[in-house]
Amino acid sequence: MADDSPADTTRSRVTLLLAAARDGDTEAASAAYAMLCHELRQLARAKLRRHRAMTLLDTTSLRAISYERAEPER
């Protein structure tokens, strides 16, 4: 049986962190966000590039909005 690829290992770790965050572990939520921060920035940059219209949002703002929407309501 082949070893898991680094991407599979990262996905597994993020999945475990998100499950723990869902159960109220705030440290797990922070760790998951930190792992995904770079990818969220890349996705935001690509979305803004496709949008092409004038916007007040930048990649940091779009990433922050995505994070807020992903967080459970308090």
Side-chain angles (χ1 to χ4, degrees), residues 33 42 50 68 73:
Y33 179 75
Q42 287 179 325
R50 282 191 307 269
E68 289 173 8
E73 292 189 28

Side-chain angles (χ1 to χ4, degrees), residues 1-73:
M1 184 184 226
D3 290 333
D4 288 337
S5 72
D8 289 340
T9 302
T10 299
R11 275 192 290 269
S12 295
R13 175 102 174 104
V14 169
T15 299
L16 291 172
L17 288 169
L18 291 175
R22 185 181 54 232
D23 292 337
D25 184 341
T26 56
E27 287 183 24
S30 294
Y33 179 75
M35 290 181 77
L36 296 171
C37 188
H38 179 72
E39 186 170 346
L40 288 172
R41 182 178 289 134
Q42 287 179 325
L43 291 170
R45 188 175 295 131
K47 180 145 180 97
L48 289 174
R49 216 178 7 251
R50 282 191 307 269
H51 192 275
R52 295 186 189 195
M54 190 68 146
T55 181
L56 297 176
L57 293 176
D58 60 9
T59 56
T60 302
S61 300
L62 191 55
R63 186 185 63 199
I65 291 168
S66 300
Y67 177 72
E68 289 173 8
R69 288 181 181 173
E71 275 213 338
E73 292 189 28

